[in-house]
PDB file of all heavy atoms in Angstrom:
ATOM      1  N   GLY A   9      -0.528 -42.131 -40.887  1.00  0.00           N
ATOM      2  CA  GLY A   9      -1.711 -41.380 -41.271  1.00  0.00           C
ATOM      3  C   GLY A   9      -2.740 -42.314 -41.863  1.00  0.00           C
ATOM      4  O   GLY A   9      -2.505 -43.515 -41.973  1.00  0.00           O
ATOM      5  N   PRO A  10      -3.854 -41.751 -42.250  1.00  0.00           N
ATOM      6  CA  PRO A  10      -4.911 -42.595 -42.807  1.00  0.00           C
ATOM      7  C   PRO A  10      -4.558 -43.068 -44.211  1.00  0.00           C
ATOM      8  O   PRO A  10      -3.959 -42.346 -45.003  1.00  0.00           O
ATOM      9  CB  PRO A  10      -6.121 -41.651 -42.839  1.00  0.00           C
ATOM     10  CG  PRO A  10      -5.523 -40.281 -42.951  1.00  0.00           C
ATOM     11  CD  PRO A  10      -4.222 -40.348 -42.189  1.00  0.00           C
ATOM     12  N   GLY A  11      -4.873 -44.315 -44.522  1.00  0.00           N
ATOM     13  CA  GLY A  11      -4.729 -44.832 -45.876  1.00  0.00           C
ATOM     14  C   GLY A  11      -3.300 -45.099 -46.303  1.00  0.00           C
ATOM     15  O   GLY A  11      -2.412 -45.305 -45.483  1.00  0.00           O
ATOM     16  N   ALA A  12      -3.105 -45.069 -47.624  1.00  0.00           N
ATOM     17  CA  ALA A  12      -1.812 -45.383 -48.233  1.00  0.00           C
ATOM     18  C   ALA A  12      -0.755 -44.347 -47.854  1.00  0.00           C
ATOM     19  O   ALA A  12      -1.047 -43.169 -47.687  1.00  0.00           O
ATOM     20  CB  ALA A  12      -1.960 -45.437 -49.749  1.00  0.00           C
ATOM     21  N   ILE A  13       0.481 -44.823 -47.756  1.00  0.00           N
ATOM     22  CA  ILE A  13       1.629 -43.967 -47.477  1.00  0.00           C
ATOM     23  C   ILE A  13       2.542 -44.013 -48.699  1.00  0.00           C
ATOM     24  O   ILE A  13       2.848 -45.084 -49.213  1.00  0.00           O
ATOM     25  CB  ILE A  13       2.396 -44.444 -46.222  1.00  0.00           C
ATOM     26  CG1 ILE A  13       1.480 -44.492 -45.005  1.00  0.00           C
ATOM     27  CG2 ILE A  13       3.616 -43.564 -45.964  1.00  0.00           C
ATOM     28  CD1 ILE A  13       0.926 -43.160 -44.551  1.00  0.00           C
ATOM     29  N   THR A  14       2.984 -42.856 -49.168  1.00  0.00           N
ATOM     30  CA  THR A  14       3.836 -42.769 -50.352  1.00  0.00           C
ATOM     31  C   THR A  14       5.265 -43.191 -50.027  1.00  0.00           C
ATOM     32  O   THR A  14       5.636 -43.293 -48.861  1.00  0.00           O
ATOM     33  CB  THR A  14       3.858 -41.331 -50.905  1.00  0.00           C
ATOM     34  OG1 THR A  14       4.486 -40.489 -49.930  1.00  0.00           O
ATOM     35  CG2 THR A  14       2.459 -40.834 -51.210  1.00  0.00           C
ATOM     36  N   PRO A  15       6.103 -43.416 -51.056  1.00  0.00           N
ATOM     37  CA  PRO A  15       7.499 -43.811 -50.812  1.00  0.00           C
ATOM     38  C   PRO A  15       8.275 -42.822 -49.942  1.00  0.00           C
ATOM     39  O   PRO A  15       9.218 -43.200 -49.261  1.00  0.00           O
ATOM     40  CB  PRO A  15       8.097 -43.893 -52.211  1.00  0.00           C
ATOM     41  CG  PRO A  15       6.946 -44.232 -53.084  1.00  0.00           C
ATOM     42  CD  PRO A  15       5.781 -43.472 -52.487  1.00  0.00           C
ATOM     43  N   ASP A  16       7.886 -41.541 -49.967  1.00  0.00           N
ATOM     44  CA  ASP A  16       8.603 -40.572 -49.138  1.00  0.00           C
ATOM     45  C   ASP A  16       7.905 -40.317 -47.800  1.00  0.00           C
ATOM     46  O   ASP A  16       8.277 -39.420 -47.060  1.00  0.00           O
ATOM     47  CB  ASP A  16       8.844 -39.266 -49.882  1.00  0.00           C
ATOM     48  CG  ASP A  16       7.566 -38.538 -50.264  1.00  0.00           C
ATOM     49  OD1 ASP A  16       6.461 -39.101 -50.088  1.00  0.00           O
ATOM     50  OD2 ASP A  16       7.667 -37.410 -50.741  1.00  0.00           O
ATOM     51  N   GLY A  17       6.895 -41.129 -47.474  1.00  0.00           N
ATOM     52  CA  GLY A  17       6.286 -41.081 -46.152  1.00  0.00           C
ATOM     53  C   GLY A  17       5.065 -40.214 -45.990  1.00  0.00           C
ATOM     54  O   GLY A  17       4.650 -39.928 -44.862  1.00  0.00           O
ATOM     55  N   CYS A  18       4.455 -39.767 -47.078  1.00  0.00           N
ATOM     56  CA  CYS A  18       3.273 -38.898 -46.994  1.00  0.00           C
ATOM     57  C   CYS A  18       1.990 -39.732 -46.975  1.00  0.00           C
ATOM     58  O   CYS A  18       1.864 -40.708 -47.703  1.00  0.00           O
ATOM     59  CB  CYS A  18       3.227 -37.954 -48.183  1.00  0.00           C
ATOM     60  SG  CYS A  18       4.612 -36.818 -48.247  1.00  0.00           S
ATOM     61  N   ALA A  19       1.027 -39.310 -46.183  1.00  0.00           N
ATOM     62  CA  ALA A  19      -0.281 -39.962 -46.152  1.00  0.00           C
ATOM     63  C   ALA A  19      -1.137 -39.379 -47.277  1.00  0.00           C
ATOM     64  O   ALA A  19      -1.428 -38.185 -47.298  1.00  0.00           O
ATOM     65  CB  ALA A  19      -0.957 -39.742 -44.812  1.00  0.00           C
ATOM     66  N   VAL A  20      -1.522 -40.222 -48.221  1.00  0.00           N
ATOM     67  CA  VAL A  20      -2.283 -39.782 -49.392  1.00  0.00           C
ATOM     68  C   VAL A  20      -3.581 -39.103 -48.974  1.00  0.00           C
ATOM     69  O   VAL A  20      -3.928 -38.043 -49.491  1.00  0.00           O
ATOM     70  CB  VAL A  20      -2.549 -40.975 -50.339  1.00  0.00           C
ATOM     71  CG1 VAL A  20      -3.438 -40.559 -51.500  1.00  0.00           C
ATOM     72  CG2 VAL A  20      -1.235 -41.563 -50.836  1.00  0.00           C
ATOM     73  N   GLU A  21      -4.293 -39.696 -48.049  1.00  0.00           N
ATOM     74  CA  GLU A  21      -5.576 -39.134 -47.609  1.00  0.00           C
ATOM     75  C   GLU A  21      -5.399 -37.748 -46.996  1.00  0.00           C
ATOM     76  O   GLU A  21      -6.211 -36.851 -47.228  1.00  0.00           O
ATOM     77  CB  GLU A  21      -6.245 -40.079 -46.612  1.00  0.00           C
ATOM     78  CG  GLU A  21      -7.627 -39.644 -46.195  1.00  0.00           C
ATOM     79  CD  GLU A  21      -8.622 -39.595 -47.343  1.00  0.00           C
ATOM     80  OE1 GLU A  21      -8.491 -40.387 -48.288  1.00  0.00           O
ATOM     81  OE2 GLU A  21      -9.529 -38.741 -47.293  1.00  0.00           O
ATOM     82  N   LEU A  22      -4.348 -37.554 -46.240  1.00  0.00           N
ATOM     83  CA  LEU A  22      -4.081 -36.240 -45.651  1.00  0.00           C
ATOM     84  C   LEU A  22      -3.901 -35.197 -46.752  1.00  0.00           C
ATOM     85  O   LEU A  22      -4.493 -34.117 -46.693  1.00  0.00           O
ATOM     86  CB  LEU A  22      -2.841 -36.290 -44.760  1.00  0.00           C
ATOM     87  CG  LEU A  22      -2.387 -34.940 -44.210  1.00  0.00           C
ATOM     88  CD1 LEU A  22      -3.432 -34.364 -43.266  1.00  0.00           C
ATOM     89  CD2 LEU A  22      -1.048 -35.062 -43.527  1.00  0.00           C
TER      90      LEU A  22
END
Side-chain angles (χ1 to χ4, degrees):
I13 303 296
T14 65
D16 63 352
C18 297
V20 175
E21 185 62 31
L22 174 65

